[in-house]
Amino acid sequence: MPWISLAFAASWSVPGDFADLEAVAEVAEDGDLIELGAGDWDGAAFAVSLEIVGAEGAVITSTLSSTSELAVSGVDFEGGAPCLRVESGSLWVADALFQGCASERGSALVAETSEVTLTDVVFVGNRSNQAGGAVWVHGGALQAESCTFEGNHSTYGTGGAIHAVGTELQLLLTEFTGNSGYDSGGAIYVQSGDLTVEGAQFSGNKTVYGTGGAIHAVGGLTVGSVDFENNSAYGGGGCVHAAPDGSDVLLSMTTFSGCSTTYGGGGALAVSGAGGLRVVDTQLADSKAHEGGGAIAVSGTGEVALDRVQAHTGATTYGVGGLLSIRASAVSLTDVVVRDGSAHQGGGALFVHASSLVADALHVQGGLTTYGTGGAALLEVTEISLSHSVFGGGQSTDAGGLAATCTSLDLTNNDFVDNHGAGLYASCDGLAVNNLFAWNTGASSSPAKFTHSLVWEDPSTLDASPVSEDPLFVNAFADLNLLEGSPAIDAGDPSLLDSDGSRSDIGAYPRLTEPEDTGSTDDTRDSGDPDDTGVNSDDTGVEGDVVLLGRCGCGGPGAPLGVLGLLLALVSRRR
């Protein structure tokens, strides 16, 4: 039964009681039921509340309109201009097909200041000259569940499938395939309204000249459990472009694949002017953009938080941040993996410009910059705190790993490995480096720059006696977890404890002690002596708080050593 509860006053059949719908409209009263038989029927205008139920093969071929409550099920609509219109009323449509409708706007469905519910409705091959290739709504609310929008097109306007202004729009378990808009919103365009999308799929949607290959949203945006694949836009946001004008944007449990822009930024997602952006449990792959952010581009936004996000294989043609480019007030990155990005300018994989950045369990791997700095990451942030993070495999002419310009930089338990160019270049007023592991480093920085840290490479240029010792990773640089007996175990800052209660290890991945069956949480590696640092300076090469490990066959014979003799430069400006 439709949500617009109708108590039937009379039941009419077409044909049978009446020859056509126009004849019924002259006598119908509130609550009437019309049973529409098979065949092609002209539409009609109704001003009373009623329900139309179609038999198999029932087709309405011209405009059906209502200014009250209307429920339609089992009817196909073909060739109307538009096929269905509702004004200042309520509409419920189920088990229906809209095909080949054409008009100036909203060729299949036009709804003004109305409440619309669509269930199991298919929109195929509809076309409008202006906005809304299939659906045009203004005001009110629209909910679509288990619907399909395929091959709809806006010839010169926005919203290849749906154009909504001032509308609360909710899309559940709905598919959008091969829709296109001349301007913004290849599938969906929302202006001054809130959009919620859950359990949907967007594939092969595009804009000819606008932004948001699948979605362009101006207003609040919530996306959950949605798959975006091979959507593209001429401007920013190959899959999604959000300009919420101070509202929040939330994405969760969503995947982006093969999204791209021709000239804009944010190959998969572009967000500008949001009050806040949160992305959770989301994956982005194989995306590219002409400008910044091969996968995600954020600008003019308040707080940005990424949790459990993976982004890999992305590129920008001329911008910064091969995968992520974030310009915001405050940025939080937790359990984020950014891998294999390339940028023409800085930040091969990651670029952040913000007042503050807090990152924990951030893994940036395999970035490349053509002309800029920060092969893995470029950070232009006032205050930076990085912990349990990895910067590796970056390539740049100067800082292959991390390049940072800041007021303060706090590095605790991080790994810098296999970067081509300086592993770390920091131009900051305040610099604190603790429990850090660095490989592929050079001679320009003093070991005193580090606290409780381990530098592995030929350290002869660091004015220290080289020591050959294996850090004992599980698998060279493919797995930076520590094997038993690693010199990094319990060699970190004694004032810091690992989660098992033992003295902190050096590096991003501590080796934790499993609790015994007795329930004891004591770390079996702890000698019990509070003065025991866990490192013997007589035979392991300790210089103060720094362990310098020389060249070795890490991970066993034949394990990769990478390019030796690269530069580590920590530049600290003192006021």
Side-chain angles (χ1 to χ4, degrees), residues 434-449:
N434 202 2
N435 291 6
L436 177 135
F437 170 80
W439 176 79
N440 255 7
T441 62
S444 69
S445 77
S446 164
K449 295 286 185 181

Side-chain angles (χ1 to χ4, degrees), residues 345-348 367-376 393-401 403 419-422 566:
Q345 301 179 26
L368 169 67
T369 61
T370 307
Y371 292 104
T373 188
Q395 299 184 51
S396 173
T397 55
D398 43 26
N419 294 294
H420 296 232
L566 298 178

Side-chain angles (χ1 to χ4, degrees), residues 148-323:
T148 299
F149 293 81
E150 181 176 353
N152 303 287
H153 182 61
S154 172
T155 305
Y156 295 108
T158 56
I162 299 174
H163 174 100
V165 177
T167 304
E168 298 295 317
L169 189 59
Q170 186 176 37
L171 307 174
L172 310 174
L173 303 172
T174 293
E175 296 183 8
F176 295 83
T177 304
N179 303 285
S180 63
Y182 182 83
D183 207 333
S184 298
I188 300 169
Y189 177 92
V190 179
Q191 176 77 39
S192 302
D194 291 333
L195 171 61
T196 299
V197 187
E198 297 179 1
Q201 295 182 350
F202 294 82
S203 177
N205 304 286
K206 67 178 182 179
T207 66
V208 178
Y209 285 109
T211 59
I215 296 173
H216 174 94
V218 180
L221 175 63
T222 301
V223 176
S225 300
V226 176
D227 294 332
F228 294 93
E229 183 177 4
N230 297 329
N231 302 282
S232 61
Y234 183 86
C239 283
V240 177
H241 183 271
D245 193 23
S247 299
D248 293 336
V249 176
L250 171 63
L251 284 80
S252 63
M253 301 178 67
T254 292
T255 62
F256 295 84
S257 176
C259 303
S260 63
T261 69
T262 303
Y263 284 106
L269 170 66
V271 178
S272 61
L277 167 66
R278 189 180 182 197
V279 183
V280 183
D281 294 317
T282 290
Q283 297 184 2
L284 308 98
D286 302 317
S287 54
K288 61 181 180 180
H290 184 79
E291 297 179 6
I296 297 177
V298 181
S299 62
T301 294
E303 297 183 359
V304 173
L306 274 59
D307 300 303
R308 300 181 300 279
V309 172
Q310 295 187 21
H312 70 83
T313 317
T316 65
T317 306
Y318 289 105
V320 294
L323 283 162

